[in-house]
Amino acid sequence: MTETIASRLEALDWEAIAADLDEGGVARCGALLTVEEASRLSQLFEQESRFRRTIVMQRHGYGAGCYRYFSYPLPAPVQSLREGLYRRLAPLAQRWSESLGLPFSYPERLSDYLEACHAAGQRKPTPLMLRYGQGDYNRLHQDLYGALAFPLQVVVLLSDPQRDFEGGDLVLVESRARMQGRARVLHPAQGEAVVFANSLFPVPGRRGPVRAQLRHGVAEVTRGRRTTLGLIFHDAA
């Protein structure tokens, strides 16, 4: 039987992924796209009609490089990943919200969550593709686009780090009150997904859970070209 995105998601150890996210706000999921699927998807970057907006990062002080937000309807692989990942991450997102005393709820299905986003005036799709050339980078940031923001997001590397580029590491920095920041640098393989906290996540404290914050960025690409798929589960205002 041909392996599908749905079957790959089903095969992941979601208990281990949740444990990693609880521990530090970051988890590696392994390959969710084959090399061929990742390469084909990266080629969509050239098809401007697929996207609603293009951002040149230098113009906004975000770094250097370019990213594009998809238009609806999303390409089938992007839609499948977004729906399947949301369904498995929503219980963790709900537990985090309750642990931190936040007034947010996350239904089981992505379609129901997007209905809530649209009712709040957040109707613009947020899945995106990012492309970096030599010398490009992305400053540390958080992807929050309105009052409603799902607390987890996913990146999938579409380029081959052995062949297509050098540098361009995924950088994540955790901050806690009265503590210095903790940085993590990841080197995902082509087709590999990394899930991480969008902003706040709970960590154990002496008197119960306390808030930690996570920001993410991309180190400078020193050779070649790097393309990434970003999966954000809330829509934008």
Side-chain angles (χ1 to χ4, degrees):
M1 183 180 71
T2 302
E3 192 178 41
T4 64
I5 289 173
S7 64
R8 290 174 209 141
L9 286 168
E10 192 66 33
L12 293 179
D13 186 343
W14 287 101
E15 287 188 6
I17 290 170
D20 286 345
L21 289 165
D22 280 334
E23 191 278 328
V26 183
R28 299 180 74 155
C29 297
L32 289 183
L33 297 175
T34 66
V35 169
E36 293 77 15
E37 289 168 341
S39 296
R40 285 199 302 270
L41 196 55
S42 70
Q43 295 171 11
L44 295 183
F45 193 87
E46 311 297 340
Q47 301 179 23
E48 292 190 26
S49 61
R50 294 272 192 172
F51 302 94
R52 67 173 177 84
R53 189 181 182 192
T54 297
I55 302 293
V56 178
M57 287 192 274
Q58 294 94 318
R59 296 176 183 171
H60 304 275
Y62 298 161
C66 180
Y67 57 89
R68 288 178 162 172
Y69 292 104
F70 282 103
S71 298
Y72 282 135
L74 301 175
V78 178
Q79 182 69 18
S80 295
L81 285 168
R82 197 184 191 204
E83 288 181 349
L85 285 162
Y86 175 89
R87 182 166 63 86
R88 290 163 176 85
L89 294 172
L92 177 63
Q94 187 63 49
R95 178 160 58 79
W96 280 5
S97 181
E98 293 169 1
S99 179
L100 293 173
L102 299 174
F104 303 119
S105 60
Y106 304 102
E108 293 181 2
R109 298 187 305 174
L110 176 65
S111 58
D112 292 333
Y113 182 61
L114 291 179
E115 282 187 11
C117 289
H118 297 171
Q122 297 176 212
R123 297 178 174 273
K124 298 177 182 178
T126 51
L128 71 165
M129 293 184 74
L130 306 98
R131 177 158 288 177
Y132 306 88
Q134 184 172 331
D136 290 347
Y137 63 95
N138 198 346
R139 296 184 186 276
L140 293 172
H141 65 284
Q142 297 171 328
D143 294 308
L144 306 173
Y145 298 110
L148 299 184
F150 193 76
L152 294 144
Q153 66 187 74
V154 178
V155 296
V156 183
L157 183 63
L158 302 180
S159 301
D160 183 349
Q162 304 299 320
R163 181 193 65 217
D164 296 333
F165 69 94
E166 294 178 358
D169 301 316
L170 177 62
V171 181
L172 305 110
V173 177
E174 173 194 333
S175 301
R176 304 185 192 185
R178 297 180 296 280
M179 296 179 68
Q180 293 180 328
R182 174 193 179 191
R184 297 184 64 179
V185 178
L186 302 183
H187 316 274
Q190 187 174 22
E192 182 179 359
V194 180
V195 57
F196 52 89
N198 181 279
S199 177
L200 295 174
F201 67 100
V203 295
R206 293 181 179 178
R207 299 180 180 177
V210 298
R211 298 184 181 192
Q213 289 232 18
L214 200 72
R215 295 182 297 159
H216 64 280
V218 173
E220 182 178 342
V221 173
T222 56
R223 178 191 65 82
R225 189 171 69 179
R226 177 187 190 272
T227 306
T228 306
L229 171 67
L231 294 167
I232 298 163
F233 299 101
H234 47 276
D235 279 351

